[in-house]
Amino acid sequence: MYTTLITPTELRELQNRAAPLQLFDCSFELTNPDAGEAQFNEAHIPGALHAHLDHHLSSQSPDDRASGGRHPLPSRETFAAWLDRIGLTADTQAVVYDRQGANYSGRLWWMLKWCGHEAVAVLDGGLQAWLASGGPAETGPAAPRSPAAPGGFALRDPLTRLVDTKAIASRLGDPSLTVVDARAAARFRGEVEPLDPVAGHIPGALNRPFVDNIGADGCFKPAPQLRAEFTQLLAGRDPSSVVHHCGSGVSAIPNLLGMEIAGLGRSALYAGSWSEWCNTPGLPCARSQVSGG
């Protein structure tokens, strides 16, 4: 079972063994929501399905949301129903990838864990690494699938921890809480804010831009390097105290995954993130804090 990362070579080995496998292409662009599907149609790993951030990995219904923010999580039940319809089962190894440095595939990795499915891994280096390794690609929409028999995917206890706004607000300043913000440094400091109505960050938060987890080769940095970087960031804080967030609960996941690769455990996610925090009346917003301080 692969639970964090999988390499192109390891993926080919699974394919050659005809192991139960489902590939998900999560490519997406925030400024052009239709771009991900177009990218999928241009090239994707054979057998992959396209998981759309807005349509499959976020809720469009105000009455069926597990978080707030710009990309609200659907309820676990609604998401599990989609997994059931596409035929995912308990013995299926899920492999998720994108073209954007695990920014969007990480969301599906986390959501599958949230629904109790441990056998999910991010393809290290994304589609680019797959193609560079000589892996095949196909074009056009996903191949038609036979309707899955209902009841194949059973919702199980969460394997991840979801934290809400109230939990963060009630513990500000508590040393048992360490908030790590994955947005770019300029957004964290409040110098710019292209997406949300208020600039800044949650008071006391640390800043680690999600791109810092990715090396020059497009893959996650080696575990010892990630461990050293997170240890320096936390500066003695307990890794189990960490709650990750970003703008809307998406780009925080590479930090969460990076800590797990580093051997620092599976930390929590504040999925509502800055977009929910800064839109909640009465909550404090800080600016110009030194990054990582």
Side-chain angles (χ1 to χ4, degrees):
M1 180 193 301
Y2 295 91
T3 62
T4 53
L5 299 177
I6 187 170
T7 67
T9 298
E10 291 166 336
L11 175 55
R12 277 194 293 273
E13 290 173 352
L14 288 180
Q15 292 173 325
N16 292 338
R17 296 204 316 263
L21 176 68
Q22 180 57 61
L23 288 151
F24 294 92
D25 186 318
C26 304
S27 300
F28 189 78
E29 301 288 349
L30 279 178
T31 57
N32 181 3
D34 295 328
E37 187 172 1
Q39 291 170 353
F40 177 87
N41 291 337
E42 289 171 5
H44 58 266
I45 300 175
L49 296 176
H50 184 239
H52 195 289
L53 175 62
D54 287 343
H55 302 158
H56 303 123
L57 309 183
S58 303
S59 173
Q60 303 303 311
S61 170
D63 299 323
D64 183 48
R65 292 179 174 179
S67 72
R70 280 183 283 107
H71 292 105
L73 287 169
S75 68
R76 293 199 324 135
E77 292 75 15
T78 294
F79 182 59
W82 177 67
L83 296 173
D84 188 48
R85 286 195 300 273
I86 63 175
L88 195 77
T89 61
D91 63 347
T92 302
Q93 174 70 59
V95 174
V96 300
Y97 71 89
D98 57 34
R99 297 158 170 78
Q100 291 86 19
N103 190 11
Y104 302 106
S105 58
R107 168 82 162 206
L108 179 51
W109 175 86
W110 186 91
M111 290 178 69
L112 283 164
K113 308 279 190 187
W114 184 49
C115 286
H117 193 80
E118 182 70 2
V120 53
V122 172
L123 179 61
D124 202 12
L127 181 67
Q128 297 92 326
W130 173 258
L131 297 176
S133 74
E138 60 185 15
T139 61
R145 303 166 65 91
S146 300
F153 184 85
L155 191 63
R156 295 179 293 278
D157 291 340
L159 301 171
T160 55
R161 188 160 59 96
L162 177 63
V163 175
D164 63 15
T165 298
K166 182 179 179 181
I168 299 289
S170 66
R171 295 171 58 200
L172 283 183
D174 187 330
S176 68
L177 172 69
T178 303
V179 178
V180 176
D181 187 328
R183 295 175 300 153
R187 288 186 69 194
F188 175 82
R189 292 191 295 264
E191 296 167 2
V192 297
E193 183 43 66
L195 299 171
D196 295 309
V198 180
H201 59 267
I202 296 174
L206 308 179
N207 183 216
R208 177 176 169 86
F210 78 92
V211 295
D212 288 354
N213 298 286
I214 307 299
D217 61 356
C219 297
F220 274 82
K221 294 174 179 177
Q225 183 177 356
L226 288 170
R227 188 178 184 91
E229 291 179 3
F230 276 105
T231 298
Q232 181 179 19
L233 176 74
L234 296 179
R237 298 171 178 89
D238 186 347
S240 68
S241 72
V242 171
V243 176
H244 295 279
H245 85 98
C246 52
S248 63
V250 178
S251 61
I253 305 299
N255 275 347
L256 193 153
L257 178 55
M259 282 190 66
E260 187 162 339
I261 294 166
L264 297 172
R266 186 171 294 168
S267 38
L269 174 68
Y270 171 35
S273 289
W274 181 249
S275 56
E276 181 173 357
W277 182 273
C278 75
N279 278 290
T280 302
L283 293 183
C285 299
R287 301 181 73 168
S288 301
Q289 180 172 310
V290 176
S291 175

